[in-house]
Structures are given as structure tokens and as C-alpha cells.
Amino acid sequence: FVGDFRSRISEAPPPDTIYFDFYSPKVVPELWSLEVFSRIRERIGDRPARLFTYSSATPVRLHLLASGFFVGRGDSTGMKSETTVAATRFEALDSPLPTEWLEKLRVSDSISGSGFDFAKALAVRNPQWSRFPRR
């Protein structure tokens, strides 16, 4: 589809695989937002699907979790030691983020401020965290 990605998401068929490769979140933050990831997740619905992106930034992973994706570590790209994989099924992740990631979320300077409070509240309630054994 030609045009603005955000305005045309609902016109595309529900995807099975997404290679999310826009300019960085620092350059076009609106494409890496909770709103965009939520719209993608809604478009996928109950279908199995995975989203791959080069970004391993805490705000990106936060927005993926808050939008209802399960999130894990992806393979190195050579320039990046780690990427991100998001999936609609926990079982589709080879390396899900561990519960220790929630501590990174709590202390990260990159997601401070009131704009992230809602996303944080959603992310910590993601069912991904119930998949790990309690200590």
C-alpha cells in the first residue's frame, strides 16, 4: 500500500510475519508508539503472527508488551548484539524476555515521565510474566 503507514494499517490483510524496519524510534517516534503497535496487534487478531525488528530499545519493547504482544530477544544482526521478536503466541518465542526485564523497565531513564505510565501499567500485566516460575 502506498501512503501513510499509520492511516492504512486497517486496509492491509492481517499479517503472519512483519518486518518492522522503519527509521529509528528517535527519528520517527510516532511509528514506534503504543498506538501503532496496538493497531497492528488488533489487526492481527487471534491469528498466530510474529513481528521482527532490529530495535532492542526498552521503550520499543515496552510498547510491544503494552499492546498485547509477547516479547523476546532476537538474533544479532552483526551491528546489533540483540534484536526483538514479538509474537501473538508465547510459544513462538525462542528467547522470551525474562521477568528480570521488569527491573530494567523500572529503572530505565529512557522511559521516565508521565507519557510512559499507562504503557508501563499495561506491560507489567502482560500474561507473558505469568509463564515463568515464581521464585
Side-chain angles (χ1 to χ4, degrees), residues 8 21-22 30 52-53 107 112 127:
R8 307 236 23 218
D21 191 23
F22 289 106
E30 62 275 11
F52 300 87
T53 183
V107 300
S112 60

mmCIF file of all heavy atoms in Angstrom, residues 8 21-22 30 52-53 107 112 127:
data_model
loop_
_atom_site.group_PDB
_atom_site.id
_atom_site.type_symbol
_atom_site.label_atom_id
_atom_site.label_comp_id
_atom_site.label_asym_id
_atom_site.label_seq_id
_atom_site.Cartn_x
_atom_site.Cartn_y
_atom_site.Cartn_z
ATOM 1 N N ARG A 8 -3.139 3.475 7.042
ATOM 2 C CA ARG A 8 -3.527 2.392 6.137
ATOM 3 C C ARG A 8 -3.444 1.002 6.780
ATOM 4 O O ARG A 8 -3.704 0.005 6.105
ATOM 5 C CB ARG A 8 -2.655 2.424 4.884
ATOM 6 C CG ARG A 8 -2.668 3.799 4.246
ATOM 7 C CD ARG A 8 -3.052 3.997 2.853
ATOM 8 N NE ARG A 8 -3.858 3.074 2.161
ATOM 9 C CZ ARG A 8 -3.667 2.772 0.884
ATOM 10 N NH1 ARG A 8 -2.657 3.304 0.223
ATOM 11 N NH2 ARG A 8 -4.474 1.963 0.262
ATOM 12 N N ASP A 21 10.768 -2.254 10.084
ATOM 13 C CA ASP A 21 12.091 -1.721 9.792
ATOM 14 C C ASP A 21 12.033 -0.254 9.382
ATOM 15 O O ASP A 21 12.595 0.142 8.375
ATOM 16 C CB ASP A 21 12.734 -2.574 8.688
ATOM 17 C CG ASP A 21 14.206 -2.276 8.501
ATOM 18 O OD1 ASP A 21 14.845 -1.773 9.437
ATOM 19 O OD2 ASP A 21 14.713 -2.541 7.401
ATOM 20 N N PHE A 22 11.327 0.544 10.144
ATOM 21 C CA PHE A 22 11.274 1.981 9.881
ATOM 22 C C PHE A 22 12.541 2.645 10.404
ATOM 23 O O PHE A 22 13.354 2.021 11.078
ATOM 24 C CB PHE A 22 10.055 2.603 10.585
ATOM 25 C CG PHE A 22 8.752 2.210 9.956
ATOM 26 C CD1 PHE A 22 7.916 1.297 10.572
ATOM 27 C CD2 PHE A 22 8.367 2.734 8.734
ATOM 28 C CE1 PHE A 22 6.710 0.925 9.997
ATOM 29 C CE2 PHE A 22 7.164 2.379 8.148
ATOM 30 C CZ PHE A 22 6.331 1.468 8.787
ATOM 31 N N GLU A 30 6.652 8.369 16.372
ATOM 32 C CA GLU A 30 5.229 8.070 16.198
ATOM 33 C C GLU A 30 4.994 6.686 15.596
ATOM 34 O O GLU A 30 3.943 6.092 15.796
ATOM 35 C CB GLU A 30 4.542 9.151 15.360
ATOM 36 C CG GLU A 30 5.058 9.310 13.958
ATOM 37 C CD GLU A 30 6.281 10.217 13.797
ATOM 38 O OE1 GLU A 30 6.909 10.601 14.800
ATOM 39 O OE2 GLU A 30 6.609 10.535 12.643
ATOM 40 N N PHE A 52 9.271 -8.850 13.714
ATOM 41 C CA PHE A 52 10.718 -8.787 13.898
ATOM 42 C C PHE A 52 11.171 -7.356 13.705
ATOM 43 O O PHE A 52 10.751 -6.693 12.757
ATOM 44 C CB PHE A 52 11.431 -9.669 12.864
ATOM 45 C CG PHE A 52 11.060 -11.117 12.939
ATOM 46 C CD1 PHE A 52 9.959 -11.606 12.250
ATOM 47 C CD2 PHE A 52 11.811 -11.996 13.706
ATOM 48 C CE1 PHE A 52 9.617 -12.941 12.313
ATOM 49 C CE2 PHE A 52 11.475 -13.340 13.778
ATOM 50 C CZ PHE A 52 10.373 -13.817 13.076
ATOM 51 N N THR A 53 12.041 -6.883 14.591
ATOM 52 C CA THR A 53 12.601 -5.548 14.429
ATOM 53 C C THR A 53 14.035 -5.529 14.934
ATOM 54 O O THR A 53 14.404 -6.295 15.832
ATOM 55 C CB THR A 53 11.763 -4.468 15.145
ATOM 56 O OG1 THR A 53 12.351 -3.189 14.879
ATOM 57 C CG2 THR A 53 11.686 -4.703 16.636
ATOM 58 N N VAL A 107 13.813 0.895 36.202
ATOM 59 C CA VAL A 107 14.907 1.841 36.429
ATOM 60 C C VAL A 107 15.361 2.589 35.174
ATOM 61 O O VAL A 107 16.206 3.465 35.258
ATOM 62 C CB VAL A 107 16.133 1.139 37.071
ATOM 63 C CG1 VAL A 107 15.758 0.539 38.408
ATOM 64 C CG2 VAL A 107 16.730 0.107 36.148
ATOM 65 N N SER A 112 11.157 7.372 31.363
ATOM 66 C CA SER A 112 10.648 8.110 32.509
ATOM 67 C C SER A 112 9.687 9.197 32.026
ATOM 68 O O SER A 112 9.753 9.647 30.897
ATOM 69 C CB SER A 112 11.802 8.732 33.299
ATOM 70 O OG SER A 112 12.528 9.608 32.478
ATOM 71 N N PRO A 127 0.354 -11.144 30.097
ATOM 72 C CA PRO A 127 0.374 -12.538 30.558
ATOM 73 C C PRO A 127 1.716 -13.238 30.368
ATOM 74 O O PRO A 127 1.926 -14.325 30.889
ATOM 75 C CB PRO A 127 -0.731 -13.215 29.741
ATOM 76 C CG PRO A 127 -1.111 -12.276 28.679
ATOM 77 C CD PRO A 127 -0.644 -10.907 29.062
#
